[in-house]
Amino acid sequence: MGRVRSWTVNRRIALPIAAGGAVVLALGGLYGTALAVGGDIDQGTRVLGVDLGGMSRAEARQALTRQLGPAAAAPITVKIGDRVEKADPAAFGLSLDTEATVDRAVRTGYGPGTVIGSLFASGSRDVAPVIGMNEQTARAAVDRLGLTTEQHVRDGAITFEKGTAKAVTPLPGVSLVEDRALATLRDAYLRPHTAPLVLPVARTEPRVGAEETGRAMRQFAEPAMSGPVTLTVAGRRMSITPAVLGEHLKMRTDGQGRLVPALDSKGLLADPAVAPTIDEVTRTPRNAVPGLAADGRVVITDQGRTGRKVTQDALGRAVLPLLTRTGAAARSGEVATVAVQPDLTADETRRLGIKEKVSSFTVEFPAAPYRTTNIGRAVELINGSVVMPGQEWSFNRTVGERTPENGFVDGIMINDGQYVKSPGGGVSAVATTMYNAAFFAGVKPVEHGAHSFYIERYPEGREATVAWGTLDLRWINDSGHPLYIQARSTDTSLTISFLGTKKYDEIRATKGPRTNITPPGKRTGSGDTCEVQTPLEGFDVTVGRTFVQGGKEVKREDFKTHYTPRDEVTCTPEGAPEASPGATPSATPSAAPGGAPQAPAPARTPSSAVADSAGTEAQRHAD
C-alpha cells in the first residue's frame, strides 16, 4: 500500500512540471505572435466609436483627429428656458485633447508588458475621450450667454388702448445657472444629440399668471370697454366713450396676485370730454365782502355765496360700478355734487369781530401803464385777506413772484442806486401802503426794508420795498382780533384798510429831523436800460410810533432809516461818448419813474401820502 501512495504523489508532482514546461513553450510562441501582430493600443479599444485597436500612438492621434475633428468643431445647440442658441465649442474653451485621449487608451489597455493577455481578451473596450476646457474662456462665454438669454419675469397685465382691452401674457423669469452650465457643456461635448442640450436655469414664476389675467379680462376689462357710460351731474347729462375711459383706467395687482381696477378720477375729471360739463354745473364760492358805512362801522356789502363742485372721489364712485355692467340703461348713473362754503361768510365776519376800521393808508402816484397793471394785480391778490390773531402776514407769500405768468409786467425799479427796468416795477407803492396800514394798526413788524434812496412821494422813514427771494414785508397780527384787509387801487392812487376791532384808541406818528446828510453825485449811462434820475441828498431819519389808550401814551417805538444819496443820472444815446465825471449835467428834462419828463425836483417836496389812523382825521404828512 505504501508503494502505491508514493507513486501517486510523485506522479502528481511530475505532471504539473511537465505541463508547466509545455505552457512556457506555448506562451513563448504566443508572445512572439503578439509582438508580431500588435501595436501600442489593444485590439477592440474604441473612443466614441472610433476603433483604435492595434494602432500606434501616432496612428491613433491621426484617426481621432480625422474622424472626431468635425464633431469637435461643430456648434452645440443649447436650450435655455424657451430660447434655443448655437454655442461655438472654441468660444467656450472646449476641445478634444487627442494626445491625452491616446494616453488614456494605452493606460487602460494591456500595454506592451501584457500583450499576451490581449490575445485572450474578447469583445471591445470603450475609452472616454479627454476633453480640454479653458476655465477663464469658458466662464466668460457662459457669462455672455447668460446675459443675452436672460428673461425677466413679467406679470400678466391688462392695458387699455383706444377703447380696447388687451392682455399682456405673463412670462417666467429665466436665468442661466452658470456653474452648472459649465459642467453640462463639458459632459455633453462630442456626444451625439438629437435634441438641443438643455442647460440648467433658475426660474421665477410671475405673481400674476395666465389664469388670473384671463379672469380679469372676462370679468372686468372686456365689460368696461363694451360701451360708453352716461352720467348725470346736477341735471346735465354727458356720455363718456370707452376710448376716454381707457385713457384713465388701469388694472393693478393687489399684492396677492389678483388684478383689480384703478380709475384715475382726477385725470378723468380734467379730461376735455368731461371738464366742460362739470364746469357748467360747478361754481366757486365767493366770500362775504365787508365795507365801511359813513360812520366808520363795517357793513356787509356782499353776502357772498356757497359754491358747488364735483370731487374726484365722487366721480370715481359713480363711474367704477358702471363699468362691469352691460346695456345703456345699466351703464347710466348720477354724480353727486358737494357744497363748498366760502372762507368768510357774513355770519363769520360778525362772529370774528370785524366791525370797524382799524387803520387806512393811501398813496398817490403818477399814472403809468405798468403801474396800473402791477399795482392792480398785487391789490387783487391782497384784497380780502383775513389774518387771524397770532398769524403772520407776508407780502411775498401773498403776492407771489412778480413774473409774467403771475400777471406782472416790466416796470421801473431801483437797482444799484438808480432806476432800471425790471419785472414787477411799481409794487413798492403797494408795499409802502401796506407798511403804513400795518404801522397805524399797531401790529408787530417782523421784516421790512426801505428803498436805498428816498422817493419823495412816500413818507420819510415810513416806506417799504420788496424783492423776491431777498427782502419781504412781514408783520404779525398781535391785536387779539382777526383783521380783514381791504385793498383798492386806481390809475393814480392806492388805499389799504384794516378792518377788525381796535386794540388802541389811536396810533400817532412822529418824525425827527434829517441827519448825516450826504450830497449826491453825478453819473452818465447809456443803452435801453438807462433811466434819467434827478439828484437827492442821502440822510438818516427816525420816526416814532406812539400807542394811545384812554387818552394816555401806553407804548412808543422808534424806527431809524438810512437813505443813500440819489445820484443825478443822465442818459446818452448808445455809442455816444459818455460825459466825464464832474461834467455839467445835460439840460434834458428828467423823468419821474413811469411819468412824463419834468424839470428837476427840489430835494424836499411835500409828500402825497395820506394817513388815517384809527379814527383820526385824514392829514397830509410833510417830509
Side-chain angles (χ1 to χ4, degrees), residues 12-38:
R12 288 178 179 174
I13 295 171
L15 283 175
I17 294 173
V23 168
V24 171
L25 291 174
L27 287 178
L30 290 173
Y31 183 73
T33 302
L35 289 177
V37 301

Side-chain angles (χ1 to χ4, degrees), residues 65-77:
T65 301
R66 181 175 62 254
Q67 297 188 50
L68 295 183
I76 305 172
T77 303

Side-chain angles (χ1 to χ4, degrees), residues 228-233 236-248 265-280 315 319 335:
V229 297
T230 302
L231 300 177
T232 302
V233 187
R236 303 289 181 90
R237 289 169 61 87
M238 62 178 171
S239 179
I240 308 177
T241 65
V244 172
L245 291 169
E247 290 180 6
H248 306 285
S265 301
K266 181 179 181 180
L268 182 60
L269 191 63
D271 193 282
V274 177
T277 302
I278 299 296
D279 291 342
E280 288 177 7
L315 182 62
V319 171
V335 183

Side-chain angles (χ1 to χ4, degrees), residues 367-388:
Y370 79 86
R371 281 203 184 96
T372 299
T373 298
N374 293 338
I375 291 175
R377 176 57 177 157
V379 163
E380 178 186 4
L381 294 167
I382 291 171
N383 184 51
S385 298
V386 177
V387 186
M388 301 302 291

Side-chain angles (χ1 to χ4, degrees), residues 46 49 133 209 273 286 292 352 398 400 469 497 532 571 592 614:
R46 296 182 307 181
M133 173 177 275
R286 188 175 66 239
L292 290 173
L352 291 175
T398 303
S497 301
V532 294
C571 298

